[in-house]
Amino acid sequence: MKNHIQHITFFLVLIFTSVSQAQNIKITGTLVEQETAQPIPYATVAIFNNDTKKVITGTTTDDNGKFNVAVPNANIYFEVSFMGYKTKTINKFSVSNNKIDLGTVQLASDNQALDEVVVSGEVSKTTFKLDKRVFNVGKDISSTGVSALEVLNNVPSVNVNIEGEVTLRGSGGVQILINGKPSVLADQSSNALGTITADMIESIEVITNPSAKYEASGTSGILNIILKKEEKQGWNGSISANTGIPDNHSIGVSINRRTEKFNLFSQFGAGYRSLPRDTEANNFNKTSGKTIASIGEEFRNESFFNITLGTDYHLNEYNVFTLSGNFAYEIEDQPSETNFSSFTESNLDSRWIRKETTEATNPKWQYEFNWKKTFKNSKDHTFQLSALGSFFGKDQSSLFTDTTVEGENVDSNQRTATNFQQADYTLKADYVNPISKEYTLETGVQYVINDVGNDFEVENFVNGAYEIDEDLTNNFEWNQKVLGVYATGAYENDAWGVKVGLRVENTDLNTLLTNTNEANARNFTNLFPTLHTSYKLSENFSLQAGYSKRIFRPRLWDLNPFFNIRNNFNVRVGNPDLLPEFTHSYELTSIYKIGKASLSSSLYHRYTTDVVERVSTFDNDVTYTTPENIGTNATYGFETNGKYSPAKWLTFNGDFNFNYFDRKGTFEDQIFDFTGSQWSTRLGSKIGLPADIDLELNGNYRSGFETVQGKQSGFAFLDLGLRKKIFKGKIVANLGVRDVFASRIQERFVNQTTFSTYDYSLRGRFITFGISYGFGKGEAMTYSGRRR
């Protein structure tokens, strides 16, 4: 509290002291840590009058810990302070030639203050901006060694199902960005988000109504993942090792070196993990009375290696260049075994075992160049140019064998081979001009190229030899180019703000099945207006409102027409003829504080046309699930989330989301008009225990909901974690348990006139233990490598 009062007094004096006052004595010095002799930047040096004890003037240290200031006379004393260090008073010095050289001033760490900082900073929290919410990722214990998908699962408004599909307020079509730009690491179709670990994430921006500055993709909004980049001078870093059940073993190193001109950063990771999954399915033919039932276990075993290298070069205080690259290589082994049974009425026709052996190698790399120019008149007056390129490849082969155990002989073998390559390129320029204190203009352009080739082959074992199945073999080429231009204008004062914008996007999409020469080309241009406003009624209560128009362009895995034949009686296939969804989104949000609690609540409405739904059809006892455009969806929802800290050692946080939807549409002469609702809630707590141990509990519940052909069940699950700090936090040990009761079960029911189906999926319980060591100025970061 004493430091806060001194800082406030110091800044008031700076504002009201006349700049014309004579200042004749020059004061210089350098501030460093007592333990490491590393410079301390941005610390406060306050100068007091010896008689009145009031602040005369002051300054802050630069990046190298140096400071200089002038005073009118030598009847003074100094107080040097910085958060996490003991304040130092200097009242003995000498004056020579109107100069005071304090030399090297050492500050000792304030262990008590450091502990308080760590406690307050470890719980993830949400802050609010004019057009977005920012979820600052703390060191949540249950997130030890987990991927970005699991971190997203702890973000208010966001849900991630067992399949890794990300939804925002219960709706799909989420655009995921990395550091504000598209990235191969954010590609949901390749499960690439699993390559980003919790320890690499600084914050996640939840943008339910994005401004025109952002790409219009994502009908339910945007999630922007901001990655960490160490900014402390000198050598900093962390070494981590993790192990877990099922197999989840990794080592990781994060190193950073910052100087006045350069910031060099690197990360290295390697490991092995196994992802088991239990499955169950039933297909019932209501016409013939025949049932195909299956139960099995699948694995995805992965060995991985990755390296990230990058540098920021500060040409001067107005120009910064960033060049970075990442390379990762993964080796997959996917064994599975499924037991099938075929019944007619209650009579067993046949029972057999289908085994799969799949091997794959996945190289991926990404490179980025970024130039940011800051203009001299304002630090917020900027121009930024970036170029991003990425590649993801998969060379995969699979062998499927069917072995009859009982009844009718159904023995058969199949082989598949996949050669997949995806290249993405993004060019982006953004200009921000704060015309005045209240008015800001933003404009920019973005050009995105997605180029994909997927050569897929299926062979059947016939008469002692493998023969190509021409109906299931083809080469799919997908090329999409999107050009976007935007402009926004904003006015914001202390109480009220408004931001309007318009984005124009042209989409050029081409798909081609080369073996059968089936081509599909589309070219369309759309306008995407946005409007945001906020009003601060008091220090404890604010309102926000927003509108945006969004687009969901079908992704590769929605369009790709190839069959997944792991379970050849429950087949998923894409649809090259899918049209994009368009959504009009409206939102009203209140933000308020009540005592020790901070809360926000939102009312929202979304209206979507050409909704993409997964539709099941039935043919010869096989269920085919394909995405189709079916009608419209009007959603009305309420969401609230908040945080409450009744004591320093106890914090609660949670959120609740409810929405009602009205679906209208037809498919193949069948009417899909119905209404329904779904809701989810989450409650987390962090408890400080003796001996520097923390306990964390996070409980989740997601309700079931109706689909166009049936329903999906709800489920509840609990995560917990324990953390122990050693040597003042330089070493940290974590124990995390995801899905403690193995209750995160996904069930899908389809009930139609001629058939019904049931699908069950369970990932199970995951236990991880990690230990990490931070060196230099780095803290133990529990970095666990980058994983798929």
Side-chain angles (χ1 to χ4, degrees), residues 252-272:
V253 179
S254 176
I255 302 175
N256 168 256
R257 167 68 172 167
R258 184 178 172 94
T259 65
E260 185 176 354
K261 288 287 187 180
F262 284 95
N263 180 35
L264 304 173
F265 49 93
S266 61
Q267 291 176 328
F268 310 87
Y272 171 82

Side-chain angles (χ1 to χ4, degrees), residues 7 123 217 249 300 432 496 600 687:
H7 293 165
V123 180
S217 296
H249 318 295
R300 177 186 287 162
V432 180
W496 178 67
S600 74
I687 305 169

Side-chain angles (χ1 to χ4, degrees), residues 106-125:
Q106 296 182 337
L107 284 191
S109 297
D110 186 343
N111 295 332
Q112 181 177 358
L114 282 173
D115 289 342
E116 291 175 358
V117 170
V118 169
V119 170
S120 64
E122 286 185 354
V123 180
S124 301
K125 61 182 181 180

Side-chain angles (χ1 to χ4, degrees), residues 404-441:
T404 302
V405 176
E406 185 178 356
E408 181 182 347
N409 191 335
V410 295
D411 287 0
S412 67
N413 293 347
Q414 287 180 300
R415 292 193 313 201
T416 66
T418 300
N419 184 11
F420 176 91
Q421 295 184 330
Q422 176 176 347
D424 300 307
Y425 307 94
T426 301
L427 299 173
K428 196 169 186 285
D430 297 284
Y431 174 71
V432 180
N433 186 355
I435 300 172
S436 68
K437 183 179 179 181
E438 291 84 13
Y439 292 94
T440 301
L441 174 69

